[in-house]
Amino acid sequence: MTTRRALDFEYAIKKDVRNNPIVREIDEERQRQLWRTAGISAVLVLVVLFSAWQTLELVLHGYEVQRLERERASEEEVNRHLRLEIETLRSPKRIEEMAIKDLKLVAPARDQAIVIERVTPAAPPDRSIVALRGTQGEGELRRRVSAR
């Protein structure tokens, strides 16, 4: 029986068939179809990525606009408070109180008050006449007309 097993073992080893001599040819049609499928898939992936990128940018810009609107609203609120404070500080009643209390000034009587008005200078006329006093006679005036 041992001889039978030895033969079976030897037979199993000798029956080993190698496929080395078999050469497989590349199927060009299948290769072309594979490349076509890969190309179409790559284009589709690029389109989906581009679309997702645009959507993401749109959402990010929306957040940025909301942030800027909130910032503008808060700045307008600060601006309103500052304008109110300026108007409060410019109040004549407040200035008079500070002058009396802090600076120890007194209000003038009606006959002591002098009102100074600010006058804006008028534009000179197109042609001006200048009178000069001559040296020969006191009453003699010479006129010089100057044109602009």
Side-chain angles (χ1 to χ4, degrees):
M1 194 109 164
T2 57
T3 57
R4 174 83 178 144
R5 279 193 181 162
L7 286 176
D8 287 338
F9 182 71
E10 190 176 319
Y11 176 73
I13 292 176
K14 288 183 181 179
K15 285 289 190 174
D16 186 25
V17 177
R18 302 217 178 247
N19 290 329
N20 285 346
I22 298 175
V23 176
R24 295 185 182 174
E25 294 182 15
I26 297 174
D27 187 8
E28 291 182 17
E29 182 63 32
R30 186 169 180 210
Q31 197 75 4
R32 216 176 294 123
Q33 185 180 8
L34 177 68
W35 282 111
R36 190 176 323 134
T37 305
I40 291 172
S41 299
V43 168
L44 288 176
V45 166
L46 287 175
V47 167
V48 168
L49 285 176
F50 184 71
S51 175
W53 173 70
Q54 283 183 331
T55 305
L56 177 66
E57 285 295 319
L58 184 65
V59 168
L60 291 178
H61 284 301
Y63 288 145
E64 183 72 14
V65 166
Q66 286 179 351
R67 184 188 64 79
L68 290 174
E69 284 177 351
R70 283 192 311 268
E71 187 176 318
R72 182 181 57 89
S74 69
E75 293 297 328
E76 284 178 351
E77 185 69 22
V78 168
N79 189 8
R80 190 176 68 77
H81 283 292
L82 290 176
R83 287 186 187 277
L84 183 63
E85 186 176 348
I86 287 172
E87 291 303 317
T88 304
L89 293 175
R90 283 186 179 171
S91 167
K93 185 176 180 180
R94 180 186 167 279
I95 293 173
E96 184 178 358
E97 286 176 6
M98 284 182 63
I100 292 171
K101 289 180 183 175
D102 298 338
L103 301 175
K104 308 289 189 235
L105 298 177
V106 292
R110 286 195 182 266
D111 59 342
Q112 293 176 335
I114 301 173
V115 177
I116 301 174
E117 294 181 18
R118 183 177 292 171
V119 179
T120 57
D126 291 340
R127 298 180 71 202
S128 62
I129 299 173
V130 178
L132 296 175
R133 184 178 299 267
T135 56
Q136 294 175 357
E138 233 178 89
E140 184 182 327
L141 291 176
R142 282 186 280 159
R143 292 178 140 194
R144 183 172 24 173
V145 177
S146 63
R148 286 184 146 188

